[in-house]
Amino acid sequence: RGEIFGFVGSNGCGKTTTLRIVAGLAHQDAGCVYLGDEEVSGVPAHRRDIGIVFQDSTLDLELTALENLKIHGVLYGMRRREIAARSEALLRMFELWDRRHDVASRFSGGMRRRLEIARSFLHTPRVIFLDEPTLGLDPQTRNQLWTHVRRLNEQEQVTVFLTTHYMEEAERVAQRIAIIDHGRIVASGTAAELREKTGTASLELAFLAL
């Protein structure tokens, strides 16, 4: 609980399939999925205590930033006051509060991604899944986004699963990393453990060796 797990691999489908199985969006053909001590293998995604940010945007671009969050809160059964307070706190943290009444279509790609991640934290889930959350973002925006995610990870003890193609990002952000090749986890551990196992100087070189 309260850790950041990174999934990296040469096969994007493998990483995404793994995430979808754990999130409850695809059925596994073997094994079990646990959320804490609770087995959730047969529980649909909307009944799991999770938040999800997909690689492709799922914002309603015709709604404002605040409206996108409000609808999400209603879908998760949150109370009106809780939605209002939580929305303000998250929009301020992700530096979007001043743009709360602007429709999402006016946002840059980085702003939309920050809004989506803020929305995923709205209902205070135990686990967050981030599928390639920084793909296509500039280094400054990526760094800013991870600063906010790490802060929430520490403050709320939410577990974060992320998939990424950026090896340096996984090495810098994730406490534990799983390397996936064609849908199979071929190695896992801390970045230091993976480097030591392969006798390499970086996660990228460890990945290539594995």
Side-chain angles (χ1 to χ4, degrees), residues 13-93:
C13 181
K15 299 195 306 298
T16 301
T17 299
T18 301
L19 184 146
R20 290 176 63 85
I21 288 173
V22 178
L25 300 175
H27 294 291
Q28 73 272 21
D29 54 15
C32 299
V33 177
Y34 284 85
L35 185 59
D37 296 327
E38 178 187 2
E39 183 181 354
V40 295
S41 301
V43 179
H46 68 278
R47 295 186 59 190
R48 300 187 185 190
D49 191 7
I50 60 175
I52 306 175
V53 175
F54 296 97
Q55 183 174 335
D56 296 323
S57 178
T58 58
L59 294 173
D60 190 321
L61 299 182
E62 296 181 357
L63 298 181
T64 67
L66 195 56
E67 288 169 341
N68 268 283
L69 265 63
K70 284 182 176 178
I71 287 180
H72 184 86
V74 169
L75 291 174
Y76 277 88
M78 298 174 63
R79 296 179 179 178
R80 184 178 300 179
R81 289 184 180 179
E82 183 185 9
I83 293 173
R86 184 77 170 160
S87 294
E88 180 175 353
L90 288 167
L91 289 176
R92 287 188 183 279
M93 175 178 288

Coordinates of all heavy atoms in Angstrom, one line a residue, residues 13-93:
C13 N 1.2 -3.7 -26.0 CA 0.0 -4.5 -25.7 C 0.1 -5.3 -24.5 O -0.9 -5.4 -23.7 CB -0.3 -5.4 -26.9 SG -1.7 -6.4 -26.8
G14 N 1.3 -5.8 -24.2 CA 1.5 -6.6 -23.0 C 1.3 -5.7 -21.7 O 0.6 -6.2 -20.8
K15 N 1.8 -4.5 -21.7 CA 1.7 -3.7 -20.5 C 0.2 -3.3 -20.4 O -0.3 -3.3 -19.3 CB 2.5 -2.4 -20.7 CG 4.0 -2.7 -20.7 CD 4.8 -1.4 -20.5 CE 4.5 -0.3 -21.4 NZ 4.7 -0.5 -22.8
T16 N -0.4 -2.9 -21.5 CA -1.8 -2.4 -21.4 C -2.7 -3.6 -21.0 O -3.7 -3.4 -20.2 CB -2.2 -1.9 -22.7 OG1 -1.4 -0.8 -23.1 CG2 -3.7 -1.4 -22.7
T17 N -2.5 -4.8 -21.5 CA -3.3 -5.9 -21.1 C -3.2 -6.2 -19.6 O -4.2 -6.5 -18.9 CB -2.9 -7.2 -21.9 OG1 -3.1 -6.9 -23.3 CG2 -3.8 -8.4 -21.5
T18 N -2.0 -6.2 -19.1 CA -1.8 -6.4 -17.7 C -2.5 -5.4 -16.8 O -3.2 -5.7 -15.9 CB -0.3 -6.3 -17.3 OG1 0.5 -7.3 -18.1 CG2 0.0 -6.5 -15.8
L19 N -2.5 -4.1 -17.2 CA -3.2 -3.0 -16.5 C -4.7 -3.3 -16.6 O -5.4 -3.1 -15.6 CB -2.8 -1.7 -17.1 CG -3.4 -0.4 -16.4 CD1 -2.5 0.7 -16.5 CD2 -4.8 0.0 -17.1
R20 N -5.2 -3.6 -17.8 CA -6.6 -3.9 -17.9 C -7.1 -5.0 -17.1 O -8.2 -5.0 -16.5 CB -7.0 -4.1 -19.4 CG -6.8 -2.9 -20.3 CD -7.1 -3.2 -21.7 NE -8.5 -3.6 -21.9 CZ -9.5 -2.8 -22.1 NH1 -9.3 -1.5 -22.1 NH2 -10.7 -3.3 -22.3
I21 N -6.3 -6.1 -16.9 CA -6.7 -7.2 -16.1 C -6.8 -6.8 -14.6 O -7.8 -7.1 -13.9 CB -5.7 -8.4 -16.3 CG1 -5.9 -9.0 -17.6 CG2 -5.9 -9.4 -15.2 CD1 -4.8 -10.1 -18.0
V22 N -5.8 -6.1 -14.2 CA -5.8 -5.7 -12.8 C -6.9 -4.7 -12.5 O -7.5 -4.7 -11.4 CB -4.4 -5.1 -12.4 CG1 -4.4 -4.6 -10.9 CG2 -3.3 -6.1 -12.6
A23 N -7.2 -3.8 -13.5 CA -8.2 -2.8 -13.3 C -9.6 -3.4 -13.4 O -10.6 -2.7 -13.1 CB -8.0 -1.7 -14.3
G24 N -9.7 -4.6 -13.9 CA -11.0 -5.2 -14.1 C -11.7 -5.0 -15.4 O -12.9 -5.2 -15.6
L25 N -10.9 -4.5 -16.4 CA -11.4 -4.2 -17.7 C -11.2 -5.4 -18.7 O -11.7 -5.3 -19.8 CB -10.8 -3.0 -18.3 CG -11.0 -1.7 -17.4 CD1 -10.2 -0.5 -18.0 CD2 -12.5 -1.4 -17.3
A26 N -10.5 -6.4 -18.2 CA -10.3 -7.6 -19.0 C -10.2 -8.8 -18.1 O -9.8 -8.6 -16.9 CB -9.0 -7.5 -19.9
H27 N -10.6 -10.0 -18.5 CA -10.6 -11.2 -17.7 C -9.2 -11.9 -17.8 O -8.7 -12.1 -19.0 CB -11.7 -12.1 -18.0 CG -13.1 -11.5 -17.7 ND1 -13.5 -11.3 -16.4 CD2 -14.1 -11.1 -18.5 CE1 -14.7 -10.8 -16.5 NE2 -15.1 -10.7 -17.8
Q28 N -8.7 -12.3 -16.7 CA -7.4 -13.2 -16.8 C -7.8 -14.6 -17.1 O -8.9 -15.1 -16.7 CB -6.7 -13.0 -15.5 CG -7.3 -13.8 -14.3 CD -8.3 -13.0 -13.5 OE1 -8.8 -12.0 -14.0 NE2 -8.5 -13.4 -12.3
D29 N -6.9 -15.3 -17.7 CA -7.2 -16.7 -18.0 C -6.6 -17.7 -17.0 O -6.8 -18.9 -17.0 CB -6.6 -17.1 -19.4 CG -5.2 -16.8 -19.6 OD1 -4.5 -16.5 -18.6 OD2 -4.7 -16.7 -20.8
A30 N -5.9 -17.1 -16.0 CA -5.4 -17.9 -14.9 C -5.0 -16.9 -13.7 O -4.9 -15.7 -13.9 CB -4.1 -18.6 -15.3
G31 N -5.0 -17.5 -12.5 CA -4.6 -16.7 -11.4 C -5.7 -15.8 -10.8 O -6.9 -15.9 -11.2
C32 N -5.3 -15.0 -9.8 CA -6.3 -14.2 -9.1 C -5.8 -12.7 -9.0 O -4.6 -12.5 -9.1 CB -6.6 -14.7 -7.7 SG -7.3 -16.4 -7.7
V33 N -6.7 -11.8 -8.9 CA -6.4 -10.4 -8.7 C -6.9 -10.0 -7.3 O -8.0 -10.2 -6.9 CB -7.1 -9.5 -9.7 CG1 -6.7 -8.0 -9.5 CG2 -6.6 -9.9 -11.1
Y34 N -6.0 -9.4 -6.5 CA -6.3 -9.0 -5.1 C -6.2 -7.5 -5.0 O -5.2 -6.9 -5.6 CB -5.4 -9.6 -4.1 CG -5.7 -11.1 -3.8 CD1 -5.2 -12.1 -4.6 CD2 -6.6 -11.4 -2.7 CE1 -5.6 -13.4 -4.3 CE2 -6.9 -12.7 -2.5 CZ -6.4 -13.7 -3.3 OH -6.7 -15.0 -3.0
L35 N -7.1 -6.8 -4.4 CA -7.0 -5.4 -4.0 C -6.8 -5.4 -2.5 O -7.8 -5.5 -1.8 CB -8.2 -4.6 -4.4 CG -8.2 -3.1 -4.2 CD1 -7.1 -2.5 -5.0 CD2 -9.5 -2.5 -4.7
G36 N -5.6 -5.2 -2.0 CA -5.3 -5.4 -0.6 C -5.5 -6.9 -0.3 O -4.9 -7.8 -0.9
D37 N -6.3 -7.2 0.7 CA -6.6 -8.6 1.1 C -7.8 -9.1 0.4 O -8.2 -10.3 0.7 CB -6.8 -8.7 2.6 CG -5.5 -8.3 3.4 OD1 -4.4 -8.6 2.8 OD2 -5.6 -7.7 4.5
E38 N -8.5 -8.3 -0.4 CA -9.7 -8.7 -1.0 C -9.5 -9.2 -2.5 O -8.9 -8.5 -3.3 CB -10.7 -7.5 -1.0 CG -12.0 -7.8 -1.7 CD -12.9 -6.6 -1.8 OE1 -12.4 -5.5 -1.4 OE2 -14.0 -6.7 -2.3
E39 N -10.0 -10.4 -2.8 CA -9.9 -10.9 -4.1 C -11.0 -10.3 -5.0 O -12.2 -10.3 -4.6 CB -10.1 -12.4 -4.2 CG -9.9 -13.0 -5.6 CD -10.1 -14.5 -5.7 OE1 -10.2 -15.1 -4.7 OE2 -10.1 -15.0 -6.9
V40 N -10.6 -9.7 -6.1 CA -11.6 -8.9 -6.9 C -11.6 -9.5 -8.3 O -12.1 -8.8 -9.2 CB -11.3 -7.4 -6.9 CG1 -11.4 -6.8 -5.5 CG2 -9.8 -7.2 -7.4
S41 N -11.2 -10.7 -8.5 CA -11.1 -11.2 -9.8 C -12.4 -11.1 -10.6 O -12.4 -10.9 -11.8 CB -10.7 -12.7 -9.8 OG -9.4 -12.8 -9.1
G42 N -13.5 -11.4 -9.9 CA -14.8 -11.3 -10.6 C -15.6 -10.0 -10.4 O -16.8 -9.9 -10.9
V43 N -15.0 -9.0 -9.8 CA -15.7 -7.8 -9.5 C -15.5 -6.8 -10.7 O -14.3 -6.6 -11.1 CB -15.1 -7.1 -8.2 CG1 -15.8 -5.8 -7.9 CG2 -15.3 -8.1 -7.1
P44 N -16.6 -6.2 -11.2 CA -16.4 -5.3 -12.4 C -15.6 -4.0 -12.0 O -15.6 -3.7 -10.8 CB -17.9 -5.0 -12.7 CG -18.7 -5.3 -11.5 CD -18.0 -6.4 -10.8
A45 N -15.1 -3.4 -13.0 CA -14.2 -2.2 -12.7 C -14.9 -1.1 -11.9 O -14.2 -0.6 -11.0 CB -13.7 -1.7 -14.1
H46 N -16.1 -0.8 -12.2 CA -16.8 0.3 -11.5 C -17.1 0.0 -10.0 O -17.4 0.9 -9.3 CB -18.0 0.7 -12.2 CG -19.1 -0.4 -12.1 ND1 -19.2 -1.5 -13.0 CD2 -20.2 -0.4 -11.3 CE1 -20.3 -2.2 -12.7 NE2 -20.9 -1.6 -11.7
R47 N -16.9 -1.3 -9.6 CA -17.1 -1.6 -8.2 C -15.8 -1.8 -7.5 O -15.8 -2.2 -6.3 CB -18.0 -2.8 -8.1 CG -19.4 -2.6 -8.6 CD -20.3 -3.8 -8.4 NE -20.4 -4.1 -7.0 CZ -20.9 -5.3 -6.5 NH1 -21.4 -6.2 -7.4 NH2 -21.0 -5.5 -5.2
R48 N -14.7 -1.6 -8.1 CA -13.4 -1.7 -7.5 C -13.0 -0.3 -7.0 O -13.3 0.7 -7.6 CB -12.3 -2.3 -8.4 CG -12.7 -3.7 -8.9 CD -11.5 -4.3 -9.8 NE -12.0 -5.6 -10.3 CZ -11.1 -6.4 -10.9 NH1 -9.8 -6.1 -11.0 NH2 -11.6 -7.5 -11.4
D49 N -12.3 -0.3 -5.9 CA -11.9 1.0 -5.3 C -10.6 1.5 -6.0 O -9.5 1.5 -5.4 CB -11.6 0.8 -3.8 CG -11.5 2.1 -3.0 OD1 -11.7 3.2 -3.7 OD2 -11.1 2.1 -1.9
I50 N -10.8 1.9 -7.3 CA -9.7 2.3 -8.1 C -10.0 3.6 -8.9 O -11.2 4.0 -9.0 CB -9.4 1.2 -9.1 CG1 -10.6 0.9 -10.0 CG2 -8.9 -0.1 -8.4 CD1 -10.3 -0.1 -11.1
G51 N -9.0 4.2 -9.4 CA -9.1 5.3 -10.3 C -8.2 4.9 -11.5 O -7.2 4.2 -11.4
I52 N -8.7 5.4 -12.7 CA -8.0 5.0 -14.0 C -7.8 6.3 -14.8 O -8.7 7.1 -15.0 CB -8.8 4.0 -14.8 CG1 -9.1 2.7 -13.9 CG2 -8.0 3.6 -16.0 CD1 -10.0 1.7 -14.6
V53 N -6.6 6.4 -15.4 CA -6.3 7.4 -16.4 C -5.9 6.6 -17.7 O -4.8 6.0 -17.6 CB -5.3 8.4 -16.0 CG1 -5.0 9.3 -17.2 CG2 -5.8 9.2 -14.8
F54 N -6.7 6.6 -18.7 CA -6.3 5.9 -19.9 C -5.3 6.7 -20.8 O -5.2 7.9 -20.6 CB -7.6 5.6 -20.7 CG -8.6 4.7 -20.1 CD1 -9.7 5.3 -19.4 CD2 -8.5 3.4 -20.1 CE1 -10.6 4.5 -18.7 CE2 -9.4 2.6 -19.4 CZ -10.5 3.1 -18.8
Q55 N -4.7 5.9 -21.7 CA -3.7 6.6 -22.6 C -4.4 7.6 -23.4 O -3.9 8.7 -23.6 CB -3.0 5.6 -23.4 CG -2.0 6.1 -24.3 CD -1.2 5.1 -25.1 OE1 -1.1 3.9 -24.6 NE2 -0.6 5.4 -26.2
D56 N -5.6 7.3 -23.9 CA -6.4 8.2 -24.7 C -7.3 9.0 -23.8 O -7.9 8.5 -22.9 CB -7.2 7.5 -25.8 CG -6.3 6.8 -26.8 OD1 -5.3 7.3 -27.2 OD2 -6.7 5.7 -27.2
S57 N -7.5 10.3 -24.1 CA -8.3 11.2 -23.2 C -9.7 10.7 -23.2 O -10.3 10.3 -24.1 CB -8.2 12.6 -23.8 OG -9.0 13.5 -23.0
T58 N -10.3 10.8 -22.0 CA -11.7 10.5 -21.8 C -12.5 11.7 -21.2 O -13.6 11.6 -20.7 CB -11.9 9.3 -20.8 OG1 -11.2 9.7 -19.5 CG2 -11.2 8.1 -21.4
L59 N -11.9 12.9 -21.3 CA -12.6 14.1 -20.8 C -13.7 14.4 -21.8 O -13.7 14.1 -23.0 CB -11.6 15.3 -20.8 CG -10.4 15.3 -19.8 CD1 -9.5 16.4 -20.1 CD2 -10.9 15.3 -18.4
D60 N -14.7 15.1 -21.2 CA -15.8 15.7 -22.0 C -15.3 17.1 -22.4 O -15.3 18.0 -21.5 CB -17.1 15.7 -21.3 CG -18.3 16.1 -22.2 OD1 -18.1 17.0 -23.1 OD2 -19.4 15.5 -22.0
L61 N -14.9 17.3 -23.6 CA -14.3 18.6 -24.0 C -15.3 19.7 -24.0 O -14.9 20.9 -24.1 CB -13.6 18.4 -25.4 CG -12.5 17.4 -25.4 CD1 -11.9 17.4 -26.8 CD2 -11.4 17.7 -24.4
E62 N -16.6 19.4 -24.0 CA -17.6 20.5 -24.0 C -17.9 21.0 -22.6 O -18.7 21.9 -22.5 CB -18.8 20.0 -24.8 CG -18.6 19.7 -26.2 CD -19.9 19.3 -26.9 OE1 -20.9 19.1 -26.3 OE2 -19.8 19.0 -28.1
L63 N -17.4 20.3 -21.6 CA -17.6 20.7 -20.2 C -16.4 21.4 -19.7 O -15.3 21.2 -20.1 CB -17.9 19.4 -19.4 CG -19.2 18.6 -19.7 CD1 -19.3 17.4 -18.8 CD2 -20.4 19.5 -19.7
T64 N -16.7 22.2 -18.6 CA -15.6 22.9 -18.0 C -14.8 21.9 -17.1 O -15.2 20.7 -16.9 CB -16.1 24.0 -17.0 OG1 -16.8 23.4 -15.9 CG2 -17.0 24.9 -17.8
A65 N -13.6 22.3 -16.7 CA -12.8 21.5 -15.8 C -13.6 21.0 -14.6 O -13.6 19.9 -14.2 CB -11.5 22.2 -15.4
L66 N -14.3 22.0 -14.0 CA -15.0 21.7 -12.7 C -16.2 20.8 -13.0 O -16.4 19.8 -12.2 CB -15.5 23.0 -12.1 CG -16.0 23.0 -10.7 CD1 -15.0 22.4 -9.7 CD2 -16.5 24.4 -10.2
E67 N -16.8 20.9 -14.1 CA -18.0 20.0 -14.5 C -17.5 18.6 -14.8 O -18.2 17.7 -14.4 CB -18.7 20.6 -15.7 CG -19.5 21.9 -15.4 CD -20.0 22.5 -16.7 OE1 -19.4 22.3 -17.8 OE2 -20.9 23.3 -16.6
N68 N -16.3 18.5 -15.4 CA -15.8 17.1 -15.6 C -15.5 16.4 -14.2 O -15.8 15.2 -14.1 CB -14.4 17.2 -16.3 CG -14.6 17.1 -17.9 OD1 -14.8 16.0 -18.4 ND2 -14.6 18.2 -18.5
L69 N -15.1 17.1 -13.2 CA -14.9 16.5 -11.9 C -16.2 16.3 -11.2 O -16.4 15.2 -10.6 CB -14.0 17.4 -11.1 CG -12.5 17.1 -11.1 CD1 -11.9 17.3 -12.5 CD2 -11.7 17.9 -10.1
K70 N -17.1 17.2 -11.3 CA -18.4 17.0 -10.7 C -19.2 15.7 -11.2 O -19.7 15.0 -10.4 CB -19.3 18.2 -10.9 CG -18.9 19.4 -10.0 CD -19.9 20.6 -10.3 CE -19.5 21.8 -9.4 NZ -20.5 22.9 -9.6
I71 N -19.2 15.5 -12.5 CA -19.8 14.3 -13.0 C -19.2 13.1 -12.5 O -19.8 12.1 -12.1 CB -19.8 14.4 -14.6 CG1 -20.8 15.4 -15.1 CG2 -20.1 13.0 -15.2 CD1 -20.8 15.5 -16.6
H72 N -17.8 13.1 -12.5 CA -17.1 11.9 -11.9 C -17.5 11.7 -10.5 O -17.7 10.5 -10.1 CB -15.6 12.2 -12.0 CG -14.7 11.1 -11.6 ND1 -14.3 10.1 -12.4 CD2 -14.1 10.8 -10.4 CE1 -13.6 9.2 -11.8 NE2 -13.4 9.6 -10.6
G73 N -17.6 12.7 -9.7 CA -18.0 12.5 -8.3 C -19.4 12.0 -8.1 O -19.6 11.1 -7.3
V74 N -20.3 12.4 -8.9 CA -21.7 11.9 -8.9 C -21.7 10.4 -9.2 O -22.4 9.6 -8.6 CB -22.6 12.7 -9.8 CG1 -23.9 12.0 -10.0 CG2 -22.8 14.1 -9.3
L75 N -20.9 10.0 -10.3 CA -20.9 8.6 -10.7 C -20.4 7.7 -9.6 O -20.7 6.6 -9.5 CB -20.0 8.5 -12.0 CG -20.6 9.1 -13.2 CD1 -19.6 9.0 -14.4 CD2 -21.9 8.4 -13.6
Y76 N -19.5 8.3 -8.7 CA -18.9 7.5 -7.6 C -19.7 7.7 -6.3 O -19.2 7.3 -5.3 CB -17.4 7.8 -7.5 CG -16.6 7.0 -8.4 CD1 -16.3 7.5 -9.7 CD2 -16.0 5.8 -8.1 CE1 -15.5 6.8 -10.6 CE2 -15.2 5.1 -8.9 CZ -15.0 5.6 -10.2 OH -14.2 4.9 -11.1
G77 N -20.8 8.3 -6.4 CA -21.7 8.4 -5.2 C -21.2 9.4 -4.2 O -21.6 9.2 -3.0
M78 N -20.4 10.3 -4.5 CA -19.9 11.3 -3.5 C -20.9 12.4 -3.2 O -21.8 12.7 -4.0 CB -18.6 12.0 -4.1 CG -17.5 11.1 -4.3 SD -16.0 11.9 -5.1 CE -15.6 13.1 -3.9
R79 N -20.9 12.9 -2.0 CA -21.8 14.0 -1.6 C -21.4 15.3 -2.2 O -20.2 15.5 -2.5 CB -21.8 14.1 -0.1 CG -22.4 12.8 0.6 CD -22.3 13.0 2.1 NE -22.9 11.8 2.8 CZ -23.0 11.7 4.1 NH1 -22.5 12.7 4.9 NH2 -23.5 10.6 4.6
R80 N -22.4 16.2 -2.4 CA -22.1 17.4 -3.1 C -21.0 18.2 -2.5 O -20.1 18.8 -3.1 CB -23.4 18.3 -3.2 CG -23.3 19.6 -3.9 CD -24.6 20.3 -4.0 NE -25.6 19.5 -4.7 CZ -26.9 19.9 -4.8 NH1 -27.2 21.1 -4.4 NH2 -27.7 19.2 -5.4
R81 N -21.0 18.4 -1.1 CA -20.0 19.2 -0.4 C -18.6 18.5 -0.6 O -17.6 19.2 -0.7 CB -20.4 19.3 1.0 CG -21.6 20.2 1.3 CD -21.8 20.4 2.8 NE -22.9 21.3 3.1 CZ -23.4 21.6 4.3 NH1 -22.8 21.0 5.4 NH2 -24.4 22.4 4.4
E82 N -18.6 17.2 -0.5 CA -17.4 16.5 -0.7 C -16.8 16.7 -2.1 O -15.6 16.9 -2.2 CB -17.6 15.0 -0.4 CG -16.3 14.1 -0.5 CD -16.6 12.7 -0.3 OE1 -17.8 12.3 -0.3 OE2 -15.6 11.9 -0.2
I83 N -17.6 16.6 -3.1 CA -17.2 16.9 -4.5 C -16.6 18.3 -4.6 O -15.5 18.5 -5.2 CB -18.4 16.7 -5.5 CG1 -18.8 15.2 -5.5 CG2 -17.9 17.2 -6.9 CD1 -20.1 15.0 -6.3
A84 N -17.3 19.3 -4.0 CA -16.9 20.7 -4.1 C -15.5 20.9 -3.5 O -14.6 21.5 -4.0 CB -17.9 21.6 -3.5
A85 N -15.4 20.3 -2.2 CA -14.1 20.5 -1.5 C -13.0 19.8 -2.1 O -11.9 20.3 -2.3 CB -14.3 20.1 -0.1
R86 N -13.2 18.6 -2.5 CA -12.2 17.7 -3.1 C -11.8 18.3 -4.5 O -10.6 18.3 -4.8 CB -12.7 16.3 -3.3 CG -11.7 15.3 -3.8 CD -10.7 14.9 -2.7 NE -9.9 13.8 -3.2 CZ -8.7 13.5 -2.7 NH1 -8.2 14.2 -1.7 NH2 -8.1 12.4 -3.1
S87 N -12.7 18.8 -5.3 CA -12.4 19.3 -6.6 C -11.6 20.6 -6.5 O -10.6 20.7 -7.2 CB -13.7 19.7 -7.3 OG -14.5 18.6 -7.6
E88 N -11.9 21.4 -5.5 CA -11.1 22.7 -5.3 C -9.7 22.3 -4.9 O -8.7 22.8 -5.5 CB -11.7 23.6 -4.3 CG -10.9 24.8 -4.1 CD -11.6 25.8 -3.2 OE1 -12.7 25.6 -2.8 OE2 -10.9 26.8 -2.8
A89 N -9.5 21.4 -4.0 CA -8.2 21.0 -3.5 C -7.4 20.4 -4.6 O -6.2 20.8 -4.8 CB -8.3 20.0 -2.4
L90 N -7.9 19.6 -5.4 CA -7.2 18.9 -6.5 C -6.9 19.9 -7.7 O -5.8 19.9 -8.2 CB -7.9 17.7 -7.0 CG -8.0 16.5 -6.1 CD1 -9.0 15.5 -6.6 CD2 -6.6 15.9 -6.0
L91 N -7.8 20.7 -8.0 CA -7.6 21.7 -9.1 C -6.5 22.7 -8.7 O -5.7 23.2 -9.5 CB -8.9 22.4 -9.5 CG -9.9 21.5 -10.2 CD1 -11.2 22.3 -10.5 CD2 -9.3 21.0 -11.6
R92 N -6.5 23.1 -7.4 CA -5.5 24.0 -6.9 C -4.1 23.3 -7.0 O -3.1 23.8 -7.4 CB -5.8 24.5 -5.5 CG -6.9 25.5 -5.4 CD -7.0 26.1 -4.0 NE -8.2 27.0 -3.9 CZ -8.1 28.3 -4.3 NH1 -7.0 28.8 -4.9 NH2 -9.2 29.0 -4.2
M93 N -4.1 22.0 -6.5 CA -2.8 21.3 -6.5 C -2.3 21.1 -7.9 O -1.0 21.3 -8.1 CB -3.0 19.9 -5.9 CG -1.8 19.0 -5.9 SD -2.0 17.4 -5.2 CE -2.0 17.9 -3.4

